[in-house]
Amino acid sequence: MEYKDIYTETDVLVIGGGLAGTVAAIGAAEKGVTVVVMDKGKIERSGDVGGGVDHFLAYLETGAEWDTKEAFLKYAAKAARGAVDLKVVEKMYCEELKNSIELMARVGNPLTQPDGSYSRMHSGGHPGPWWINFDGSRLKPRLAQKVRKLGCRVLDRVMATGLLTDNNGVVGAVGFNIRTGEFHAVKAKATIICTGNTNRLFESPRINPFDTWRCPFDTGDGQIMAYESGAALTNMEYVRVSIMPKGFSAAGFNALTGMGGRLMNSLGEYFMEKRHPQGSKAPRYDTINYILQELKAGRGPIYIDCRHLDEDVLEQLVTTLGYDKNTFPDYIEQRGENLKLKPIEIMLSEGTQNGPCDVAGGGILVDENCASTVKGLFACGDSSSANSNVHGAVTGGYRAGKSAALFTSQCSEIHINQDQVHDMRERTYSALNRKDGISYTDYENMIRKINSDSASMERTENGLETALGKLKRAKGYYDWVKVQDLHELMRANESYSLLRVSELMVMAAMYRKESRFGPYHNRIDYPEQNDKDWFGLVCVEKNGEDPKLSFRPISNEAVLGRSES
Amino acid sequence: MPPVFDHEKCSHCGKCENLCMADAIRLTEDGTPFVKYPKECWHCGACRMDCPNEAILIQFSPWMLTI
C-alpha cells in the first residue's frame, strides 16, 4: 500500500513528547521559534510519566546545610562515580532548577501541597530529604495543554524512524503515523531527541515483557537514530535495576523504604541493617546487590516490612504511590495486601538501560547546553547522558529547548537530501511489505534471551563475546520480521532499536574492564572498581559497521573546588 | 486485560482510545471501546483517570495477582 508523504518545515523539531519533550517544546516556543513535536502516542498521556508521577529531586536553599547547591554537587560527584561531567550537572540541573520549579507551577502543577508547603522525603543515600512528593497525576495533560497553547504543531501518533543529515549535521527527521500510515519528513534547523530510556531489553522477572518498571514503549529509538547520524552515546554499559512488588512492576517502591520500611529475607532477618550503615535507605545499587546476595544464598523471597509504621503513614504512602502509578492501590487491594498486617513480597525489576544513578543518564552524550556531538542535534531527559529521572527531564528539557532555539538563530540554510528520505522511507515500511516471516514478538524474545543469558548482572569477557556473536546473528534475521499492520510495524521498529541498543550495551560492557555500580556493571573477571583507569565515560560512535569505542576521563575538581570556595 | 469497560456508563466519547500510550485500546464501528492489545497495557491508569463517565475499571490479570 502506498502512503501519503507529508513534508513539514520548522525551526525546532522535538522527537518524543514525554516529560522532557513537552518541557523542551515549551522552552523553545517561549523563545519565539516554530516548534514541531513528534510522538508515537498522544502527548497528553505519552511517555514514562504519562500516567502520573509523584517525586521530583531538588534542593531548595532553605538554609539547612544539606539543602544547597554545594551539597548537591558534592553528592552528585560521589553518587555519579565518574559517570557524568559535573559541569553538565551544574549547568543543566542547578542552573535550571529554580526556573523548572516555577515552570511546574506555571503549567498548573506546582510541586507544593495544597497548603503551599513542600512534602519532602529522604531516601536513596541522599544527605537530606531531597525528594519532593507531589500530585503529578495530571502533569502530562497540563504540559500538553501548554504546548498546544503556545502554538507548537504536534504530530501525534507519528513514530520517528530516522534523522535526516546534510554535510554539517542533523536537519530533521522522518517518521510514520501509526494509525494512518502517512509518511512524515520534517525539515528542522535544530532537532531535540527526548525519547526516554531503553526497556524490554531483558527477560521479565514476571511473565509479560511489557510489565516493566519504566515505560515499555521507550525502546531506545532516539539513541539509535542519533548514533546513526554520527552522535556519540555514553554509559550504554550500565543496566539499572530497582525493587518492585512481586507481581507488578510498579515504579516508586523505594518510597516504602524511604518512609521507614525494612527489607527482610525469608528467615525474618533485616539484612540491610547488618550490611550497610544506612540500612534500607542505602543507595539503590547497594540495596540491589545485597538483595541479589540474599537470593543467591537461598534466603528469598525478599519482603519489605512496614508493620511498625503508623497507619496514617501507610495510608499516605499508598495514596502517594497512586500518583506515581495510578493503578498501584488497585493492585494492593486486588492482591489482598495489607502493609500494616504483613510484609509485602518484592522482587527485582528487569534491567533497564538508563544510566547508573539519579544524576547520570545513559544515551546521547550531551554538553552543558544539551548539544550532542553532532551539529543541530540536541538531547535531554532519559535518552541523554545528563541527569535522568523527573528532575533531569524537566531541567534538561527546559535547557534543551532554549539552547536549540538559540542555535536556530545562528543556523545557516539547510537542505534535505531526497535520496536519504527515499531510503529511510523504504526501510520504515519494510517489515510491512514482506510476504511471510517471523513475528516481532518472537524476534524480540530472542534478543531478551541473549541479553539475559550473558549480558545482565554478571558479566565476563567470554560471556559478552558470546552475546555479541548471537546479537550479530540476530541482526541478520531482522529482515525476516513480518508485521500484520501499522501497530505491529511500530513494535517491529522498536524491536530493531532494542537489538541495536543491545549490541552497543554489550560492546561498551566489554570495553569497560572493571566493575562499577555493583550489579549495574558487574564484570566478574574484573571485580574491582578501578578509578585510576576508568573514572569517566565509555563512548560509542558510529564507524562503519562496528562502532568506535573510546574513553573520556572525568575530573570533578574544577567544579567542586569552585563550589567549596 | 486491565481496562474493563462498563458499557452502561460509556458514552462512546473515544477518549480512552485516543489517549492510550500503548495504542492498545480501539473502538468498534459504533464507538464501543475494546482492548485490542491486552498484553501491551502498562497499567498506567490514564484511561480511567480521563474517562468522563467513570466507565473504566482496572482489573489485574490473575497471574499478576498470584505469582
Side-chain angles (χ1 to χ4, degrees), chain A residues 257-292:
Chain A
T257 50
M259 296 289 238
R262 302 165 79 189
L263 284 155
M264 186 182 94
N265 66 19
S266 64
L267 294 174
E269 296 164 338
Y270 299 107
F271 57 94
M272 285 303 292
E273 288 153 39
K274 289 184 197 163
R275 290 169 179 244
H276 199 283
Q278 285 173 298
S280 296
K281 291 187 180 185
R284 198 182 286 172
Y285 73 89
D286 276 329
T287 306
I288 302 300
N289 214 4
Y290 294 130
I291 291 175
L292 279 170

Side-chain angles (χ1 to χ4, degrees), chain A residues 179 327 330 334 487 491, chain B residues 17 23 40 43 48 58:
Chain A
R179 289 289 184 89
T327 58
D330 303 81
Q334 289 174 26
H487 176 88
R491 296 280 176 253
Chain B
E17 175 264 357
D23 188 39
E40 295 179 15
H43 308 79
R48 178 176 62 179
I58 300 294

Side-chain angles (χ1 to χ4, degrees), chain A residues 239 285-286 288-289 292 456-458 516-522:
Chain A
V239 170
Y285 73 89
D286 276 329
I288 302 300
N289 214 4
L292 279 170
S456 185
M457 287 181 274
E458 283 164 331
R516 198 167 283 264
F517 293 102
Y520 298 176
H521 175 63
N522 179 22

Side-chain angles (χ1 to χ4, degrees), chain A residues 207-218:
Chain A
I207 289 172
N208 179 355
F210 282 81
D211 181 12
T212 48
W213 163 27
R214 307 294 301 274
C215 178
F217 317 112
D218 289 352

